Amino acid sequence: MMSLVSARRSLDDRLASLKGDVAARPHRGWVRAVREALGMTGTQLAERLKVDPSTISALEKGEVQDTVTLATLRRAAGAMNCRLVYALVPETSLEQTVRDRAATVVDVRLGRLGHTMALENQALSDPELADERGRMIEALIREEPRRLWQAP
């Protein structure tokens, strides 16, 4: 079975090509942009999909309003000799997202612990605190990955 780290890295590699210049949806939507670029009318697309022409207008409006389904987009793409490409592209790498989240969880835990230790006059020095923070982040990622996404 593939480890979570391997799965994250593999998916990060696959998504790397989508970072940066992912084409933004045209103002009036992809369906309309491609249809018009092909010189196809809404009625002609409707005929290809075997639907009423008003359905094409609703489809194009739904795409712009983010209410169209992926199945509908896939059918429309196929009718125009295209394929639907769908992906969730992380703002950073998945690995960095996990590390950032682990740091947030650890910082909350250390904040609570630091307060208690200070009350007992056992506070850690800054270097000791940094070492403990790093150790806790690695342990959380390695030993408790599912706990990362619970409220800290």
Side-chain angles (χ1 to χ4, degrees), residues 1 4 140-150:
M1 185 169 126
L4 283 175
L140 181 59
I141 291 170
R142 185 179 59 254
E143 298 166 12
E144 305 177 84
R146 304 258 185 252
R147 296 188 74 193
L148 285 172
W149 305 105
Q150 295 172 352

Side-chain angles (χ1 to χ4, degrees), residues 109-123:
R109 289 179 183 176
L110 282 175
R112 292 180 195 141
L113 182 62
H115 177 72
T116 301
M117 291 179 77
L119 290 174
E120 296 174 0
N121 203 19
Q122 298 175 351

Side-chain angles (χ1 to χ4, degrees), residues 87-102:
L88 300 177
V89 181
E91 297 295 332
T92 64
S93 70
L94 296 171
E95 190 66 32
Q96 188 61 52
T97 299
V98 166
R99 291 201 164 282
D100 291 347
R101 177 60 183 177

Side-chain angles (χ1 to χ4, degrees), residues 59-141:
L59 182 160
E60 291 175 352
K61 183 178 180 182
E63 180 190 2
V64 171
Q65 295 175 342
D66 292 329
T67 59
V68 69
T69 67
L70 291 175
T72 299
L73 284 176
R74 188 171 288 112
R75 283 188 61 228
M80 295 184 289
N81 198 30
C82 295
R83 65 185 171 98
L84 177 67
V85 177
Y86 172 81
L88 300 177
V89 181
E91 297 295 332
T92 64
S93 70
L94 296 171
E95 190 66 32
Q96 188 61 52
T97 299
V98 166
R99 291 201 164 282
D100 291 347
R101 177 60 183 177
T104 299
V105 171
V106 165
D107 288 345
V108 169
R109 289 179 183 176
L110 282 175
R112 292 180 195 141
L113 182 62
H115 177 72
T116 301
M117 291 179 77
L119 290 174
E120 296 174 0
N121 203 19
Q122 298 175 351
L124 298 174
S125 69
D126 287 344
E128 290 172 324
L129 188 58
D131 287 346
E132 182 62 14
R133 181 179 186 267
R135 187 197 64 72
M136 288 176 72
I137 289 171
E138 293 304 319
L140 181 59
I141 291 170

